[in-house]
């Protein structure tokens, strides 16, 4: 095991990271930028992992196997527990389509590729993202991908001296930062989720660790006070001032990440910020921060899914309290025991971890093959009949078809009558198709219907649709009123 000195204020900094994230996902006012907590976690990870690696390399005791074992002990037990706990709730609550999505997220979470899955599926700030119990595992995937390549990279360049290591880290940092600033404008979802655009935040932490370890960073107490206090201000400002319109992780992400670095650099027990972050309640929350991060999203997502609307603030606060209770329990009875090699050998960890991963992935594959097991849900016959009757999408609601055929509308009401009314619009209009058809038939009148996704139900009004990957509005228009008209 490594002998890197424990710094309690880092656990306090974890508290500053995890609490805003949880309150942000809970929709609590004043935490519109709470998502920056993930960026602080990235800086801390880069700082601690680099410190551990540098210590091992300096002493000539680095072992890639030991490194991965420590990461597995730290990450897998609590993660597996939370995934296991989510499965029965998803079984009883999710409709088939959402259950299939959840099954896919299980596989990607276990294989640490959920950041790629959620990048392909939806944006982080999209409303439907709030209903995904494992959405938050994207950041774990980024860190695990970082753990795979970074030790090997440092190992390869350490022989050339610390200057070479610093140069390589700096190049990665600058390249990643430039890429993040470009993709946040052109491919914002990819920029948010993927490692190449997040690596710079980890590299900032890595450079901070090397600076502290070099022994050349001599900060006087006044400088340390100013630096660490500035760091706190930067973090608080980000939490309060940022929101889902902030270009992230572009240049604005420098504010919370530098804030974390400014707290890590002084490494002094005399500063006011150090003493505040080292208080028992700050350290205590920081110690359970990983488990709290794991539990909060499933609690919020399943509750929102059950309610069908945003829960009231007392319910959200109650869920947050439950989250920290579960976090303490899983830290005490799962995290801590599994991190102790005297209680769980490497061989047992490998066998248990591999077996559990195989079981989870198998569950995911089975659910996907069963198409979400529709038989779980008993739908009343009247509702099921109405669903079966609504099968005219290709006839009445197909924008591609509307552009290529002459008869771009479908009939509603009585057959072969002269049309007396016309209905057009988007999917909301289509949801009324059967009701309008039935009403028109009873009244003995005939009408026509035309619909397309994104079709604004006003004459002469065109819908500008946002591309899933482009934050700026593209010039792609959809207008179901201007297609193949005679």
């Amino acid at each position: 095991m490594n002998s890197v000195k424990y710094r309690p204020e880092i656990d306090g900094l974890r508290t500053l990271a995890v609490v805003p994230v949880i309150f942000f996902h809970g929709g609590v006012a004043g935490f519109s930028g709470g998502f920056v907590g993930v960026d602080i976690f990235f800086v801390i990870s880069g700082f601690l992992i680099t410190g551990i690696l540098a210590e091992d390399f300096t002493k000539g005791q680095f072992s890639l196997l030991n490194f991965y074992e420590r990461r597995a002990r730290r990450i897998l037990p609590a993660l597996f527990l939370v995934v296991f706990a989510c499965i029965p709730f998803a079984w009883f609550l999710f409709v088939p389509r959402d259950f299939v999505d959840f099954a896919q997220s299980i596989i990607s979470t276990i294989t640490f590729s959920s950041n790629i899955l959620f990048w392909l599926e939806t944006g982080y700030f999209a409303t439907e993202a709030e209903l995904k119990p494992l959405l938050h595992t994207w950041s774990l995937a980024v860190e695990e991908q970082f753990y795979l390549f970074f030790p090997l990279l440092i190992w390869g360049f350490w022989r050339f001296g610390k200057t070479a290591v610093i140069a390589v880290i700096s190049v990665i940092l600058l390249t990643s930062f430039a890429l993040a600033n470009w993709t946040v404008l052109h491919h914002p979802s990819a920029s948010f989720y993927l490692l190449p655009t997040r690596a710079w935040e980890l590299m900032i932490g890595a450079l901070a660790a090397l600076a502290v370890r070099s022994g050349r960073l001599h900060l006087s107490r006044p400088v340390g006070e100013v630096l660490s206090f500035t760091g706190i201000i930067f973090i608080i400002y980000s939490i309060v001032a940022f929101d889902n319109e902030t270009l992230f992780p572009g240049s604005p992400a420098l504010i919370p990440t530098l804030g974390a670095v400014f707290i890590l650099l002084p490494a002094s027990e005399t500063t006011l910020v150090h003493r505040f972050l080292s208080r028992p309640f700050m350290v205590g929350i920081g110690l359970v921060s990983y488990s709290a991060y794991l539990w909060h999203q499933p609690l919020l997502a399943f509750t929102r899914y059950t309610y069908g609307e945003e829960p009231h603030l007392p319910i959200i606060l109650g869920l947050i309290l439950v989250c920290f209770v579960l976090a303490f329990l899983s830290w005490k009875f799962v995290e801590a025991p599994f991190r102790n090699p005297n209680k769980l050998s490497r061989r047992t960890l490998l066998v248990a971890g591999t077996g559990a991963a195989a079981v989870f992935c198998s569950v995911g594959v089975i659910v996907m093959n069963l198409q979400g097991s529709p038989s779980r849900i008993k739908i009343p016959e009247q509702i099921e009949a109405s669903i079966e009757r609504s099968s005219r999408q290709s006839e009445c609601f197909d924008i591609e078809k509307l552009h290529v055929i002459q008869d771009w509308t479908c009939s509603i009401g009585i057959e072969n009558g002269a049309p007396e009314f016309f209905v057009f619009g988007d999917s909301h209009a289509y949801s009324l198709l059967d009701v309008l058809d039935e009403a028109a038939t009873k009244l003995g009148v005939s009408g026509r219907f035309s619909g397309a996704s994104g079709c604004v139900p006003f004459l002469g009004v065109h819908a500008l649709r946002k591309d899933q990957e482009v934050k700026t509005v593209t010039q792609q228009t959809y207008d179901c009123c201007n297609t193949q008209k005679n």
Side-chain angles (χ1 to χ4, degrees):
M1 301 293 289
N2 67 80
S3 59
V4 176
K5 180 184 176 182
Y6 172 67
R7 292 176 53 180
E9 83 275 16
I10 294 180
D11 277 324
L13 184 58
R14 286 193 174 105
T15 300
L16 286 185
V18 75
V19 170
V21 169
I22 294 175
F23 277 70
F24 165 74
H25 284 151
V28 179
F31 292 86
S32 60
F35 55 85
V36 302
V38 173
D39 305 83
I40 297 171
F41 275 128
F42 285 156
V43 174
I44 294 173
S45 290
F47 182 87
L48 292 177
I49 293 303
T50 304
I52 291 171
L53 291 174
E55 179 84 3
D56 288 346
F57 286 134
T58 300
K59 293 181 176 180
Q61 62 184 30
F62 173 72
S63 166
L64 194 61
L65 186 59
N66 287 341
F67 175 83
Y68 289 142
E69 179 191 349
R70 289 198 298 263
R71 294 300 90 206
R73 290 182 183 277
R74 175 77 173 94
I75 292 170
L76 296 184
L79 176 63
F80 285 176
L81 172 65
V82 171
V83 172
F84 177 78
C86 286
I87 293 174
F89 286 94
W91 170 271
F92 287 109
L93 295 177
F94 282 177
V95 299
R97 182 188 63 182
D98 295 331
F99 198 33
V100 169
D101 288 344
F102 173 72
Q104 292 175 329
S105 69
I106 289 178
I107 297 172
S108 64
T109 296
I110 298 303
T111 57
F112 295 107
S113 58
S114 58
N115 60 327
I116 298 173
L117 174 69
F118 294 128
W119 157 52
L120 295 173
E121 280 189 347
T122 184
Y124 183 75
F125 299 106
T127 302
E128 63 269 22
E130 296 179 346
L131 304 179
K132 296 181 179 292
L134 299 178
L135 175 71
H136 59 323
T137 62
W138 74 268
S139 63
L140 301 183
V142 169
E143 289 201 24
E144 284 302 306
Q145 292 159 15
F146 164 71
Y147 296 150
L148 284 177
F149 89 87
F150 189 67
L152 298 174
L153 182 73
I154 301 301
W155 193 8
F157 282 92
W158 193 265
R159 70 188 71 178
F160 301 109
K162 294 180 182 178
T163 301
V165 173
I166 292 173
V168 170
I169 292 175
S170 299
V171 169
I172 296 174
L173 190 158
L174 294 174
T175 303
S176 173
F177 184 67
L179 182 63
N181 278 278
W182 183 83
T183 55
V184 79
L185 294 173
H186 301 280
H187 303 283
S189 186
S191 183
F192 193 94
Y193 281 117
L194 301 184
L195 175 62
T197 50
R198 289 289 188 168
W200 69 271
E201 298 176 324
L202 293 148
M203 295 301 104
I204 282 184
L207 288 181
L210 294 176
V212 171
R213 280 191 53 82
S214 69
R216 300 174 184 175
L217 190 67
H218 301 292
L219 301 177
S220 64
R221 179 174 176 178
V223 172
E225 293 279 13
V226 171
L227 201 62
S228 57
F229 186 73
T230 302
I232 289 285
I233 295 300
F234 276 15
I235 291 173
I236 293 175
Y237 171 80
S238 303
I239 293 169
V240 175
F242 291 179
D243 57 29
N244 58 6
E245 295 298 322
T246 305
L247 294 178
F248 227 78
S251 297
L254 278 171
I255 298 176
T257 52
L258 286 178
V261 169
F262 290 165
I263 292 172
L264 293 169
L265 282 179
S268 170
E269 298 179 2
T270 61
T271 64
L272 291 175
V273 169
H274 178 283
R275 282 184 282 177
F276 168 69
L277 295 178
S278 299
R279 300 292 295 174
F281 75 94
M282 294 294 288
V283 173
I285 295 175
L287 286 173
V288 303
S289 59
Y290 174 58
S291 282
Y293 182 76
L294 288 178
W295 282 112
H296 85 279
Q297 179 63 15
L299 287 171
L300 293 169
F302 285 126
T303 301
R304 288 186 172 112
Y305 198 94
T306 303
Y307 270 72
E309 61 182 3
E310 185 64 19
H312 297 303
L313 182 60
I315 295 175
I316 293 293
L317 296 179
L319 290 172
I320 293 174
L321 178 61
V322 171
C323 166
F324 280 104
V325 172
L326 291 174
F328 172 76
L329 294 174
S330 58
W331 169 78
K332 183 175 179 63
F333 297 109
V334 178
E335 279 195 68
F338 275 85
R339 292 173 70 176
N340 186 346
N342 295 324
K343 293 186 177 182
L344 187 74
S345 67
R346 175 185 293 175
R347 177 182 175 82
T348 304
L349 177 70
L350 177 62
V351 172
T354 304
V359 169
F360 284 128
C361 289
S362 298
V363 169
V365 171
I366 291 171
V367 172
M368 291 169 62
N369 287 336
L370 292 176
Q371 299 181 336
S373 187
S375 60
R376 294 176 299 115
I377 301 175
K378 302 300 181 183
I379 302 175
E381 291 183 4
Q382 186 176 6
I383 296 178
E384 193 167 2
S386 69
I387 294 173
E388 290 175 354
R389 195 167 67 246
S390 302
S391 58
R392 305 179 67 186
Q393 181 164 350
S394 60
E395 177 190 0
C396 304
F397 193 80
D398 188 336
I399 193 168
E400 297 298 328
K401 190 174 181 181
L402 294 178
H403 278 288
V404 298
I405 68 171
Q406 211 57 59
D407 188 8
W408 54 282
T409 66
C410 66
S411 176
I412 52 178
I414 62 174
E415 296 287 340
N416 303 321
E420 298 183 42
F421 66 95
F422 175 55
V423 178
F424 71 95
D426 57 12
S427 56
H428 296 284
Y430 176 67
S431 67
L432 300 174
L433 176 61
D434 288 335
V435 174
L436 294 172
D437 188 19
E438 185 176 338
T441 301
K442 288 181 178 180
L443 292 172
V445 297
S446 178
R448 306 293 288 178
F449 177 91
S450 178
S453 179
C455 171
V456 179
F458 297 102
L459 294 173
V461 177
H462 299 257
L464 293 176
R465 302 197 55 196
K466 289 185 179 180
D467 184 86
Q468 210 173 18
E469 284 295 323
V470 184
K471 217 167 189 178
T472 55
V473 177
T474 64
Q475 295 302 312
Q476 184 179 17
T477 63
Y478 292 83
D479 184 2
C480 56
C481 303
N482 291 330
T483 58
Q484 299 293 336
K485 290 194 287 290
N486 294 320

